C-alpha cells in the first residue's frame, strides 16, 4: 500500500532533516509510529499524503508515484485513497459536525455524495458516540468530540489507507480503545492499511508492527 525508498526531506531554513531509506506498509497491515515530539512523525504522514513533497526519493501509494501527480491529481488521489486524521483535527468552524464529516464529498466531485455516504456518516458518528451532536458546530464540541468528528471524516470515504496522527490523544482510556476498535473495524471492512502515530503505549500491542521514529531524523527544527 505504501512504499518509501531513499526518502529525504528538510524544511527550508531549519536544521531538521528526515531520512527514510526504506519502508513498506502492506495492504491490510496496521503499523504504529512512536517517537519523541519533533522527530518528524507528522512530517512523514504529510509526505505520504502528498501534502509535502520530498527532496528526493520515492513515495508510492497504492501503486501511484505521488510525486509525479499534478496538484489537482494529487488532491483527487488523496481524497479517494487516503483518510487522514490530522493531529489538530483541521475542522471547519462554519460547518456543522455532519458537514465536516461529509466535507471530502464537497471538495471532490469524483466522490459521490449519495444516501449511502450520508448513512455511513451517521453510522460512524453513532459508533463514535457523537450521533446526537451532528448538527453542532466544532466550537460547541469538546476536544474529544472534535477529534471524533475528524475520525469520522477520515473514514467516511472508505479509504484504502488510513493515516492517523495521534487520533486517540484527547480521549479517555475507554474511548481510546473504542476509537481504535472502530478504526480497525473500518480498515478490516474496507481492506485498508493503517499507519497511526500514537503516544498511547498501551495500544501498541494491537498493532502488527511498531516503527520507532527516534532513528530517522537529524538535527533540531
Ligand atoms: P512530530 O510530529 O514527530 O512531533 P513534526 O513532523 O511535526 O514532528 O516536526 C518535525 C520537525 O520539523 C520539528 O522540529 C518541527 O519544529 C519542524 N517543523 C514542522 N513543521 C514545520 C514547518 N512547516 N516549517 C518548518 N519546520 C517545521
Ligand atoms: Mg506530530
Amino acid at each position: 500500500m505504501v512504499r518509501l525508498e531513499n526518502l529525504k526531506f528538510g524544511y527550508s531554513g531549519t536544521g531538521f532533516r528526515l531520512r527514510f531509506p526504506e519502508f513498506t506498509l502492506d495492504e491490510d497491515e496496521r503499523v504504529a509510529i512512536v517517537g519523541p515530539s519533533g522527530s518528524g512523525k507528522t512530517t512523514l504522514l504529510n509526505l505520504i499524503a502528498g501534502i509535502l513533497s520530498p527532496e528526493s526519493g520515492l513515495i508510492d501509494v497504492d501503486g501511484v508515484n505521488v510525486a509525479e501527480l499534478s496538484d489537482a491529481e494529487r488532491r483527487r488521489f488523496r481524497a479517494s485513497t487516503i483518510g487522514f486524521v490530522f493531529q489538530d483535527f483541521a475542522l471547519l468552524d462554519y460547518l456543522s459536525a455532519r458537514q465536516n464529516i461529509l466535507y471530502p464529498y464537497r471538495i471532490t466531485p469524483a466522490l459521490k455524495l449519495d444516501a449511502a455516504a450520508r448513512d455511513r456518516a451517521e453510522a460512524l458518528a453513532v459508533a463514535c458516540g457523537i450521533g446526537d451532536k451532528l448538527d453542532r458546530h466544532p466550537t460547541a464540541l469538546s476536544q474529544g468530540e472534535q477529534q471524533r468528528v475528524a475520525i469520522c471524516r477520515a473514514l467516511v470515504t472508505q479509504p484504502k489507507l488510513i493515516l492517523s496522527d495521534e487520533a486517540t490523544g484527547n480521549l479517555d482510556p475507554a474511548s481510546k480503545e473504542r476509537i481504535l476498535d472502530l478504526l480497525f473495524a473500518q480498515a478490516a471492512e474496507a481492506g485498508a492499511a493503517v499507519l497511526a502515530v500514537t503516544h498511547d503505549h498501551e495500544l501498541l500491542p494491537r498493532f502488527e508492527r511498531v516503527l520507532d521514529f527516534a532513528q530517522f531524523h537529524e538535527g533540531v527544527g
Side-chain angles (χ1 to χ4, degrees):
M1 193 65 212
V2 178
R3 193 159 55 89
L4 308 177
E5 276 173 21
N6 298 318
L7 184 63
K8 287 186 187 160
F9 176 82
Y11 291 103
S12 56
T14 76
F16 179 78
R17 306 271 315 147
L18 191 67
R19 286 162 191 273
F20 236 98
E22 200 174 7
F23 173 73
T24 306
L25 179 72
D26 288 336
E27 272 172 26
D28 50 4
E29 209 176 9
R30 297 171 300 199
V31 172
I33 297 177
V34 298
S37 180
S39 59
K41 306 180 297 296
T42 297
T43 302
L44 180 71
L45 295 191
N46 283 333
L47 284 162
I48 293 172
I51 295 166
L52 293 172
S53 299
E55 270 160 28
S56 60
L58 175 76
I59 302 174
D60 181 300
V61 178
D62 198 23
V64 173
N65 183 344
V66 178
E68 283 179 353
L69 301 177
S70 69
D71 287 353
E73 286 170 335
R74 198 174 310 126
R75 272 196 298 276
R76 240 190 331 268
F77 177 73
R78 189 188 309 144
S80 58
T81 310
I82 299 174
F84 201 146
V85 188
F86 295 96
Q87 187 166 16
D88 58 1
F89 319 145
L91 300 180
L92 297 165
D93 283 340
Y94 65 93
L95 297 177
S96 69
R98 186 193 312 277
Q99 289 167 328
N100 266 287
I101 294 171
L102 291 171
Y103 191 69
Y105 294 91
R106 190 185 281 235
I107 56 166
T108 317
L111 297 174
K112 204 159 152 277
L113 179 52
D114 53 14
R118 291 182 182 282
D119 288 350
R120 261 200 316 280
E122 188 91 29
L124 282 166
V126 169
C128 284
I130 52 165
D132 57 341
K133 305 203 166 78
L134 280 168
D135 295 320
R136 288 203 203 169
H137 286 241
T139 45
L141 296 171
S142 74
Q143 288 278 102
E145 288 164 350
Q146 290 179 37
Q147 189 155 40
R148 288 177 242 190
V149 173
I151 289 163
C152 293
R153 182 185 54 192
L155 296 177
V156 73
T157 53
Q158 300 179 300
K160 284 181 161 180
L161 173 62
I162 298 169
L163 301 177
S164 165
D165 204 351
E166 302 188 31
T168 50
N170 292 286
L171 305 172
D172 58 273
S175 294
K176 283 183 204 289
E177 294 283 351
R178 204 151 63 104
I179 291 296
L180 200 64
D181 286 344
L182 180 75
L183 216 64
F184 283 2
Q186 288 293 314
E189 200 177 303
V194 178
L195 191 56
V197 174
T198 182
H199 287 299
D200 297 317
H201 284 254
E202 68 275 18
L203 298 178
L204 294 183
R206 302 192 51 188
F207 289 83
E208 273 118 34
R209 239 178 338 131
V210 178
L211 192 62
D212 189 344
F213 236 67
Q215 57 187 307
F216 294 111
H217 71 111
E218 297 172 8
V220 286

